[in-house]
Amino acid sequence: MRIAILFSLLVFVNSASAESGLEYDSIWRCDESRFNWYCDIQRDSDQVDNAVEKSKPKAASEEDEAVADLKKLREDAEKKRALAIVKPTPENLKSYIVAQEALMDRASVFSDVWRRVIWANPELNYQLRNPSNNSAIQVRDVQRTRKEAETLASLVRDWGLFFFFRSDCPYCHRMAPTLKFLSEQYGIAVFPVSLDGGGLPEFPKPSRDNGMAASLGVSVVPLVVLGNIKDRRLLPIGSGVLSAQEIVERIYILTQTRPGELY
């Protein structure tokens, strides 16, 4: 009787499993349409490859390796230097000298290759823009002086110089003859502006300050400002006593060059 009951239960369980779709041909076969606690869905091969690539460390670039090597060389030399200072034995000093000489040899090779590259690539040669050779400097200065004079002569119709001063300022008295000379030599107009109402021998009848000094933030005299008559532009040239050549040069730089062009 017991055997019959057990047999009937087994038949019922098998039929229920068949109806629920839980049976497998093999316990090792994974069928995504059926439930199985041990069935792992295989991931896309691309996802697997991407995960592997992300887990791999990136190879250091040649620049990164060079930075690391140079840092190691410097640290090694610095350690040997510190040891030689703290314990100045012949062995420690010799070790530091050898390390230092190795760095100097590398610097010498770098410097030599640098100049060879400059010789072969004129566009990289800074000396062509700002020479250090005396002969070349003289040629450059002559050309620049000519350009500066030509520039000032071409600006006299639209530009003028505002001269801010005080009648009791000794530096203003020293500056006035220079501006008078520029006015007579190049024909550029000079507009004297007195902050205290007094005049100078070269400019006995100046204009009184009408607030222009405050708008420009004038705190030191003498002050020379280049002004455009048409568009009202104001370009401060400088404070203190300036030579005629300095004023002409600064006018050229402010009106004819871009920042960094002459450097």
Side-chain angles (χ1 to χ4, degrees):
M1 189 65 167
R2 292 178 178 177
I3 293 174
I5 293 172
L6 179 61
F7 179 77
S8 62
L9 288 173
L10 290 173
V11 171
F12 175 77
V13 170
N14 288 336
S15 62
S17 298
E19 292 176 358
S20 61
L22 295 177
E23 77 281 357
Y24 285 84
D25 297 338
S26 169
I27 61 173
W28 305 110
R29 185 174 69 85
C30 181
D31 187 349
E32 296 182 18
S33 65
R34 301 173 182 273
F35 176 81
N36 190 327
W37 290 107
Y38 303 99
C39 180
D40 292 331
I41 300 174
Q42 186 176 2
R43 292 186 298 172
D44 188 278
S45 60
D46 292 338
Q47 296 178 352
V48 175
D49 294 339
N50 291 336
V52 173
E53 288 296 329
K54 290 180 179 180
S55 63
K56 290 182 180 179
K58 292 184 179 180
S61 65
E62 189 175 5
E63 290 85 356
D64 293 335
E65 292 178 354
V67 170
D69 292 342
L70 183 58
K71 182 179 180 181
K72 184 177 180 180
L73 288 172
R74 289 175 174 173
E75 289 179 348
D76 181 63
E78 185 61 26
K79 290 178 181 179
K80 288 180 169 57
R81 175 178 176 272
L83 182 60
I85 293 175
V86 175
K87 296 181 179 180
T89 64
E91 293 76 12
N92 291 342
L93 285 169
K94 180 180 178 181
S95 179
Y96 169 63
I97 292 172
V98 170
Q100 184 66 21
E101 288 291 330
L103 288 176
M104 292 178 64
D105 289 342
R106 288 178 177 269
S108 298
V109 174
F110 174 83
S111 179
D112 187 27
V113 175
W114 177 287
R115 66 177 183 174
R116 293 169 189 262
V117 171
I118 295 297
W119 294 342
N121 299 271
E123 69 277 5
L124 302 177
N125 191 352
Y126 180 77
Q127 295 295 327
L128 295 180
R129 289 179 290 165
N130 288 280
S132 58
N133 178 276
N134 289 333
S135 298
I137 289 176
Q138 292 177 1
V139 174
R140 181 203 61 187
D141 290 345
V142 170
Q143 291 181 335
R144 183 175 295 180
T145 300
R146 177 177 54 81
K147 289 182 179 180
E148 291 169 355
E150 292 174 351
T151 298
L152 187 56
S154 65
L155 295 178
V156 295
R157 290 186 300 177
D158 299 332
W159 295 83
L161 294 174
F162 288 96
F163 176 37
F164 294 90
F165 67 91
R166 295 180 60 90
S167 61
D168 58 352
C169 167
Y171 299 103
C172 300
H173 281 268
R174 183 64 183 86
M175 185 68 180
T178 301
L179 294 173
K180 190 71 172 180
F181 165 77
L182 290 175
S183 178
E184 296 173 350
Q185 181 72 20
Y186 295 98
I188 188 168
V190 176
F191 302 97
V193 180
S194 176
L195 302 186
D196 62 356
L200 299 174
E202 291 78 12
F203 304 102
K205 296 180 179 180
S207 300
R208 291 187 62 89
D209 178 35
N210 60 358
M212 185 178 182
S215 63
L216 289 174
V218 178
S219 59
V220 177
V221 290
L223 172 68
V224 180
V225 177
L226 183 65
N228 189 287
I229 300 173
K230 292 185 176 180
D231 58 20
R232 305 291 183 177
R233 276 183 294 165
L234 295 173
L235 305 175
I237 291 179
S239 302
V241 179
L242 302 173
S243 68
Q245 181 58 38
E246 284 181 311
I247 296 174
V248 173
E249 179 183 6
R250 295 185 186 189
I251 291 174
Y252 171 76
I253 292 174
L254 291 172
T255 61
Q256 305 299 316
T257 67
R258 299 185 302 273
E261 184 177 345
L262 299 181
Y263 282 85

